[in-house]
Amino acid sequence: RAAMRHPRLAPFWMASENKEMDGLWSRQCFKKWRRSDLDKTDRVFGSRFHYHIKRDTKTGAITNCKVRLVVMGNNMKAGEDYEDAFAPVPHATAGRVVIAMAAANDMELHACDLAQAFIQADKLPEGVNGRVFIRLPTGYNE
């Protein structure tokens, strides 16, 4: 929460937090639950915001304040759910293949930045019992 105490950047961080959460709510990544609705087999993980400043490569000036919601896996238990964590990240080779194919076919490539990258999983891996929930970050009010 130190980012929110920065006198000049706090409004940008707050706007970016709201943009991230609005996008996740609008894509129905979340549902509201009461703790009394949870079973003993259900797992609840904490979450927090990850803050990142993007800078211009030539001048070093701040171009964007990005905020991402991340789930804290630090309370996972080895042998129960630790091996089931998965974050899909493209391999560097995949990027090189795309570039090579574009060059071979005389095509143009354009960069893009995904605004929302939260993944939803409808089915848990085999052997994982219960449901998985996240708790919204401390201090966040919907």
Side-chain angles (χ1 to χ4, degrees):
R1 303 297 305 173
M4 290 301 185
R5 291 192 294 269
H6 192 284
R8 193 169 50 94
L9 295 179
F12 296 103
W13 290 126
M14 183 61 73
S16 191
E17 269 186 18
N18 290 335
K19 182 179 178 182
E20 173 77 356
M21 294 304 290
D22 289 347
L24 294 172
W25 281 107
S26 70
R27 288 173 178 77
Q28 299 177 346
C29 291
F30 301 130
K31 292 181 185 174
K32 293 181 184 180
W33 294 88
R34 288 188 299 271
R35 195 165 284 280
S36 59
D37 294 334
L38 302 179
D39 296 333
K40 290 181 182 180
T41 58
D42 294 337
R43 288 188 209 86
V44 180
F45 295 107
S47 65
R48 69 179 189 88
F49 290 114
H50 173 75
Y51 301 92
H52 179 72
I53 293 176
K54 287 200 156 194
R55 296 184 180 271
D56 185 276
T57 55
K58 294 178 182 164
T59 65
I62 295 173
T63 58
N64 198 359
C65 293
K66 296 196 102 164
V67 175
R68 291 289 177 250
L69 180 71
V70 295
V71 177
M72 298 167 41
N74 56 337
N75 58 349
M76 294 177 133
K77 297 180 182 107
E80 276 186 39
D81 50 14
Y82 188 75
E83 299 296 323
D84 298 317
F86 176 70
V89 178
H91 195 277
T93 305
R96 288 193 286 273
V97 167
V98 169
I99 292 169
M101 289 176 63
N105 293 301
D106 196 30
M107 299 171 79
E108 290 184 18
L109 292 176
H110 299 275
C112 72
D113 188 14
L114 298 176
Q116 299 284 309
F118 204 90
I119 305 296
Q120 287 182 280
D122 294 330
K123 185 179 177 194
L124 291 172
E126 192 67 34
V128 176
N129 297 320
R131 299 172 294 178
V132 177
F133 295 86
I134 68 165
R135 197 172 28 255
L136 291 178
T138 305
Y140 177 77
N141 297 315
E142 29 172 309

